[in-house]
Every structure is written in C-alpha cells, then in structure tokens.
Amino acid sequence: KDSNELSIKQREKEIDYIYEIIKSPSQSFFKHKPYDFYNYDISPDGAKIAIAFHDKDNVIIWNSLYNEDLIRFSPHDNRITTMKFSNDGRFLATSSIDQTLKVWDIFSGNLIKTLQLEDNYITSLAYLSTNKIVCGTFNGVVKIIKLN
C-alpha cells in the first residue's frame, strides 16, 4: 500500500476513536448527550485531545488519560478551520475564517500569540518546530510563520 492510503486509514482510525469517546457518555466526560464536533487534533503523546464544537465554536483540551477536560475556551470569533498541537505537545495553534492564527499554552489556557492575516485565512497548518509553523491558505499561498 502507498503512504497516502496508509495515512488515510490512520486518520479514519483516529476519527473512529474520537467519535467513540464523544458519543458514549459512559466512556467520556460528557455527562449527558453527545456533542457535535467538527475538528480535532491529538497531541503527539496521545494524552490530550483538542476538540472544536459547533456550540459557539468552543474548544476543549481533554486529558484522555484521566477522562477529564483540562481547559475550555472560545478561541475565535468565527469557525475554526484547523488546529494542531506543537511537536512537544505544549502549545495548540488554531486558525479561523476570522483570518487569525492563535497559539495557546495548553496547560494554562493563555493566549501566547495572535497573528492577523489580510484577505485570507489558513486552511491547514503544521509545526516545523516549536517556533515555526507552515500553513496553507484558502487562496493557495503557503507561508512559514516564525512565532518568536
């Protein structure tokens, strides 16, 4: 099998895992009904899951080891387009159609940095290192952003 097919299979397994956590109140911290989420990312060590919900674009960072939510926040004025943990798992970058990229400390929930894009928004991103993010925009531009 080629690498694209393997990565698609891996992503499908991740989605199935997240769905099982969220849909079953007995297996998750959601005490009542399952929530409708639209975006997520898993930390490199697998211990934390960032989940974006349709409910006012709230994000939680959930500790999968202890079955509890660590932090809840509303990071953007509009829908989140993508989010990604840093390679060391200490930060979460979120982007939105509000044309911002925000970097969060996942332990405190504090906003570390906000970058405003002009006439464009980020559709995908990845950390190159703790201080550099590569991102693709809606208009097809690829940018490398230094965070310090």
Side-chain angles (χ1 to χ4, degrees):
K1 295 181 179 181
D2 69 3
S3 62
N4 282 343
E5 188 174 333
L6 288 175
S7 70
I8 290 170
K9 292 287 186 196
Q10 179 62 29
R11 197 67 173 164
E12 287 173 353
K13 285 181 184 178
E14 288 176 359
I15 290 169
D16 288 344
Y17 174 73
I18 297 297
Y19 181 74
E20 287 302 317
I21 289 170
I22 291 176
K23 78 171 183 142
S24 174
S26 64
Q27 296 177 5
S28 72
F29 68 92
F30 301 112
K31 304 298 182 210
H32 304 290
K33 64 178 183 171
Y35 288 82
D36 188 16
F37 72 100
Y38 66 89
N39 204 330
Y40 75 95
D41 191 43
I42 300 172
S43 65
D45 64 1
K48 294 169 200 67
I49 304 170
I51 306 168
F53 296 98
H54 286 289
D55 178 30
K56 298 180 184 175
D57 292 318
N58 289 320
V59 171
I60 63 153
I61 297 174
W62 183 61
N63 184 334
S64 64
L65 299 177
Y66 300 108
N67 201 23
E68 64 187 9
D69 58 324
L70 299 174
I71 296 173
R72 291 176 179 259
F73 55 95
S74 297
H76 295 274
D77 294 332
N78 291 298
R79 183 179 177 87
I80 293 170
T81 55
T82 189
M83 60 184 168
K84 190 74 177 163
F85 280 100
S86 62
N87 299 336
D88 61 7
R90 293 179 13 214
F91 303 102
L92 180 72
T94 60
S95 63
S96 169
I97 59 174
D98 65 12
Q99 299 177 355
T100 60
L101 170 70
K102 295 184 179 185
V103 179
W104 305 86
D105 179 311
I106 67 156
F107 297 106
S108 68
N110 292 332
L111 180 62
I112 303 298
K113 186 156 193 141
T114 300
L115 299 162
Q116 182 71 46
L117 283 76
E118 293 187 27
D119 300 325
N120 210 349
Y121 61 89
I122 295 170
T123 57
S124 62
L125 63 88
Y127 277 86
L128 295 175
S129 67
T130 302
N131 295 322
K132 280 186 188 175
I133 293 176
V134 62
C135 55
T137 67
F138 179 75
N139 293 339
V141 176
V142 175
K143 294 183 177 210
I144 295 178
I145 298 171
K146 291 183 181 180
L147 299 176
N148 54 2

